[in-house]
Amino acid sequence: MSHRYNRKVRKRGIMDRKVRVLAINPGSTSTKVALFDDYDVLFSAAIHHTPDELADFPDIQSQLEFRTEMIEKTMLEKGFAMEDVDVFSGRGGGLLSLTGGVYTISDLMVSHAEKGMAGAHPANLAPQIAKQYADKFNKHAVVVNPPSIDEFCDEARITGIKGLYRQSHIHALNQKEIALRFCAERGLEYDALNLIICHLGGGISVTAHNNGRMIDSNDIIKGSGPMTPNRAGDLPYIGVIELAYSGAYTKKELIDRLNKDGGLTDHLGTAEVRDVMKMANEGDHYAEIVFRAMNYQIAKYAGAMAVALRGKVDAIILTGGMSNNVCLTDMVKEYIDWIAEVVVMPGEFELEALAAGAVRVMRGVEAGKTYSGEPVWTNF
């Protein structure tokens, strides 16, 4: 986060010292944690969990105590005390749909995370872990822009099949953080801008941000959008149906081919963009075409999001791990720089976003929200 934003928040704040935040982000094979004083990181660690360790647990929920103890052990090893943390900020998995923002972790939220109301994922453990610590030490616990954010306009939900509607599955935490960082650097207000943000990583989400709301995007969970290093993206649906009934795949095998082993992996046997570029530079024409096709599809979706914003676009931002690749970003820019200024902000900032949201609320810069447990959209 820029120093300008630090000064702005501290000036407007209600605390006369830095806010200490422990950010907690459980993943499939690791639990990422980081301790912050405001935006200054004191330490960051990825606690890796081996397959043998996780094999002892029948499901994700049963890992709660194990992961909690690992976090406490890491804090102790780094020389910090849990009781000195002001806010425990967790990745908000398992929740019903809600609008973007920072939410106080309530008993209802913990219950929904435990039940996996939005599906089973290690992120469901984060609100539970954060609430346990907050209750134990009489501190605060929040989630920040959780995965179930749904701010879609109604037009974005409709498909050509009645009852089959598009859902909001986006890299919401990183997208919102990047938008706020961009605005802080320019002295702008997020809720007064139209942005297209392209999160480019193993998953790709290209999203229209309209005055602070993510009104349309592709679906990174159910499958749509550009192909990615390991996901198939948009496909001719008759072809997919034929694959499903070919007898060559079980349901799980076909889903894995589309969502885990698709994209660059299916075409070229690797998910590493550097390997694909090396192949292309060494004369592999097909590798070059596939690489160009992925970038072309990213650009096409950015164009679609420009339509969602009625052509009124203040900036297009390329972010995520793949945006470190200059060849990739330059190729995408060639297609879309006529729409608006294209800004590259490489990397992923999930832990930083968890801390920043907590700090904003603690300093009174942003109002905290209450989780209602009622989805923001159910049906027409």
Side-chain angles (χ1 to χ4, degrees):
M1 187 71 72
S2 68
H3 294 299
R4 174 178 184 171
Y5 188 68
N6 283 340
R7 290 197 301 270
K8 176 182 177 183
V9 171
R10 287 169 184 163
K11 182 178 179 181
R12 293 175 60 186
I14 57 176
M15 296 181 68
D16 58 1
R17 60 175 178 79
K18 291 183 177 181
V19 181
R20 179 159 291 186
V21 183
L22 181 64
I24 304 165
N25 185 10
S28 299
T29 59
S30 69
T31 301
K32 296 178 181 178
V33 293
L35 187 66
F36 294 84
D37 275 349
D38 279 2
Y39 306 104
D40 302 325
V41 62
L42 302 179
F43 81 84
S44 181
I47 308 167
H48 294 285
H49 312 306
T50 67
D52 287 343
E53 287 176 326
L54 298 181
D56 293 335
F57 303 99
D59 54 31
I60 291 170
Q61 184 59 35
S62 62
Q63 299 172 15
L64 178 62
E65 183 178 352
F66 165 72
R67 297 209 190 211
T68 302
E69 290 175 354
M70 293 297 288
I71 293 171
E72 292 177 5
K73 180 181 177 183
T74 301
M75 281 283 284
L76 185 63
E77 289 173 349
K78 298 294 183 179
F80 295 98
M82 283 288 189
E83 53 265 33
D84 293 334
V85 174
D86 297 303
V87 192
F88 298 93
S89 185
R91 193 87 166 89
L95 310 179
L96 294 173
S97 60
L98 66 175
T99 56
V102 182
Y103 288 79
T104 298
I105 301 176
S106 62
D107 290 337
L108 176 63
M109 181 183 290
V110 167
S111 174
H112 281 197
E114 183 177 347
K115 294 173 184 175
M117 300 294 282
H121 189 278
N124 299 13
L125 300 175
Q128 301 175 65
I129 294 170
K131 185 70 159 59
Q132 281 188 14
Y133 289 144
D135 289 348
K136 181 176 180 179
F137 299 108
N138 194 28
K139 299 299 176 68
H140 301 273
V142 299
V143 299
V144 181
N145 288 317
S148 1
I149 288 181
D150 185 346
E151 299 172 335
F152 272 15
C153 64
D154 284 345
E155 294 87 343
R157 303 184 192 278
I158 296 291
T159 73
I161 300 294
K162 185 175 181 179
L164 181 61
Y165 301 116
R166 292 192 175 90
Q167 300 178 40
S168 175
H169 297 128
I170 310 168
H171 297 95
L173 182 62
N174 199 56
Q175 288 228 7
K176 290 278 190 178
E177 176 68 9
I178 286 297
L180 292 173
R181 288 179 177 227
F182 171 80
C183 291
E185 290 174 0
R186 302 289 181 97
L188 303 170
E189 296 296 330
Y190 175 46
D191 60 4
L193 292 181
N194 283 348
L195 302 171
I196 297 169
I197 300 184
C198 307
H199 178 103
L200 311 177
I204 292 176
S205 56
V206 183
T207 307
H209 294 243
N210 174 229
N211 297 330
R213 295 177 64 86
M214 300 186 295
I215 63 168
D216 198 358
S217 186
N218 61 290
D219 189 328
I220 64 173
I221 302 297
K222 295 297 181 82
S224 71
M227 71 172 174
T228 83
N230 53 24
R231 301 179 191 180
D234 289 339
L235 296 169
Y237 58 80
I238 296 297
V240 175
I241 293 170
E242 289 173 344
L243 284 176
Y245 283 89
S246 67
Y249 304 93
T250 65
K251 179 180 177 181
K252 182 182 184 304
E253 286 170 346
L254 184 54
I255 289 174
D256 284 349
R257 185 177 180 191
L258 299 178
N259 256 12
K260 294 183 179 180
D261 302 313
L264 299 183
T265 301
D266 194 64
H267 282 286
L268 302 168
T270 178
E272 292 293 331
V273 172
R274 287 172 296 184
D275 293 342
V276 172
M277 292 181 62
K278 184 174 184 292
M279 294 163 66
N281 291 333
E282 291 175 351
D284 188 327
H285 182 62
Y286 188 65
E288 179 184 354
I289 291 296
V290 170
F291 179 65
R292 288 185 172 275
M294 181 179 70
N295 299 331
Y296 175 73
Q297 291 170 22
I298 293 167
K300 278 209 304 184
Y301 258 85
M305 294 305 113
V307 171
L309 296 171
R310 302 175 188 271
K312 299 175 182 177
V313 183
D314 294 296
I316 302 172
I317 304 173
L318 307 182
T319 187
M322 286 203 303
S323 62
N324 284 292
N325 188 300
V326 176
C327 181
L328 185 154
T329 56
D330 283 350
M331 197 176 294
V332 173
K333 283 181 184 179
E334 289 177 3
Y335 287 108
I336 60 174
D337 60 5
W338 58 273
I339 298 172
E341 177 190 7
V342 181
V343 180
V344 181
M345 300 178 68
E348 299 181 14
F349 304 92
E350 290 185 340
L351 291 170
E352 292 87 346
L354 291 173
V359 171
R360 291 194 301 270
V361 168
M362 290 296 289
R363 293 196 175 283
V365 175
E366 179 179 326
K369 293 185 175 183
T370 300
Y371 177 66
S372 70
E374 297 292 331
V376 296
W377 182 84
T378 53
N379 210 326
F380 291 105

